[in-house]
Amino acid sequence: MGNRIPPITKNLLIINGLFFLAKFVMISKGISLDVILGAFYPESPNFRPWQIVTHMFMHADFMHIFFNMFGLWMFGSTVEMTIGPKKFLTLYLLAGFAGFGLLNLVTFFEVQSLKEAVTSAGLSLNEIQHMAQRGIDGELITKEIYNNSDARQLIIEYITPMVGASGALYGILVAFAVLYPDAKLMMIFLPIPIKAKYFIPILIALELYAGISNTSFGGINIAHFAHLGGALLGFLFIRDWKKKQFRQ
């Protein structure tokens, strides 16, 4: 495929880099872009409609953006040159939206259970909404929090933003595996070549297990269901593309 980075992949790398740089510039000015541009659960008082798009360009820290952008460059370049820039951008965005959608669908059931427990304890959902408001600096507007584990967990669901291009990236990973199933890949901690048609399904299975078991790595809260949502969209998207190519 050559060494040239195709236009959409290159511009996505630049945009993500600029957002990451802006994040730290604004922190020095007392403004948290994670709060403004990260995606909150839609029922949260911190949610804004534009976050559905902007969260895909925000990242938690350097390692987060490094691995996402490395994956985008490594797999995105090949996928874009195979399906074309317009289709690739559509895949990237739709996979990101699918990640947001599946994560929040799972969160919906968790939140509903917590809300029932909180109301059963005689606590006010309106007050919890008020306690969950974050200011532009990222801090909670009020420091008052109920001494109730369910209420505290509900507040955490409302104040924790989703950030990162991982949903979009997983869509690209799956697309790559469908397009080039026999391509050999290696993990950093397992330097053994594995074909993409085996490597990616194993990765997805690990994500599914981690999501169901609510596993965190090193204390880091990872949005496993966002990864799975992006992966599912990537599979459906590229399968449809291949069918259309076959008909032509």
Side-chain angles (χ1 to χ4, degrees):
M1 293 292 180
N3 296 320
R4 181 177 63 87
I5 302 177
I8 299 301
T9 300
K10 180 170 67 175
N11 282 301
L12 286 172
L13 290 169
I14 292 170
I15 292 169
N16 276 279
L18 290 174
F19 269 69
F20 191 66
L21 178 61
K23 170 178 175 172
F24 291 97
V25 171
M26 298 309 287
I27 284 176
S28 66
K29 300 180 183 298
I31 298 174
S32 172
L33 288 186
D34 282 346
V35 170
I36 299 171
L37 303 180
F40 290 88
Y41 179 65
E43 196 178 81
S44 166
N46 305 297
F47 174 75
R48 301 293 182 271
W50 62 76
Q51 296 171 354
I52 298 173
V53 176
T54 57
H55 82 275
M56 287 186 266
F57 303 100
M58 295 297 299
H59 288 85
D61 53 36
F62 177 76
M63 294 305 294
H64 189 201
I65 190 172
F66 173 78
F67 281 110
N68 276 352
M69 294 304 99
F70 178 77
L72 174 59
W73 165 73
M74 185 174 181
F75 299 100
S77 297
T78 301
V79 174
E80 181 180 348
M81 286 189 280
T82 303
I83 68 176
K86 290 183 179 179
K87 288 288 185 182
F88 178 74
L89 180 59
T90 301
L91 166 62
Y92 184 92
L93 294 174
L94 289 181
F97 296 150
F100 173 85
L102 183 59
L103 176 64
N104 282 286
L105 177 61
V106 173
T107 303
F108 169 80
F109 293 106
E110 296 175 356
V111 167
Q112 291 303 112
S113 177
L114 289 168
K115 286 167 67 175
E116 290 176 7
V118 165
T119 52
S120 296
L123 304 178
S124 169
L125 291 177
N126 287 334
E127 288 187 13
I128 287 176
Q129 286 269 344
H130 178 68
M131 292 175 182
Q133 292 183 73
R134 295 178 64 174
I136 196 171
D137 59 355
E139 297 296 323
L140 292 175
I141 290 178
T142 174
K143 301 301 181 183
E144 299 177 16
I145 294 181
Y146 284 122
N147 186 26
N148 176 285
S149 60
D150 293 316
R152 289 198 300 270
Q153 185 58 44
L154 184 56
I155 289 173
I156 289 172
E157 297 290 351
Y158 285 156
I159 67 173
T160 305
M162 170 187 176
V163 295
S166 299
L169 177 60
Y170 268 73
I172 292 169
L173 288 174
V174 170
F176 179 89
V178 174
L179 291 169
Y180 301 100
D182 292 323
K184 292 184 178 180
L185 308 174
M186 287 192 299
M187 290 184 282
I188 295 174
F189 50 86
L190 184 63
I192 302 172
I194 304 174
K195 289 185 177 181
K197 62 184 177 183
Y198 304 126
F199 181 95
I200 301 302
I202 290 172
L203 186 62
I204 300 303
L206 290 173
E207 287 288 351
L208 180 59
Y209 170 77
I212 293 174
S213 61
N214 196 28
T215 302
S216 63
F217 297 95
I220 300 173
N221 187 23
I222 299 174
H224 298 290
F225 285 103
H227 299 173
L228 293 169
L232 177 60
L233 188 285
F235 174 76
L236 296 174
F237 183 95
I238 211 67
R239 187 182 65 169
D240 180 66
W241 180 85
K242 288 189 72 176
K243 285 182 178 178
K244 290 178 180 177
Q245 293 298 111
F246 178 77
R247 294 192 195 105
Q248 293 174 2

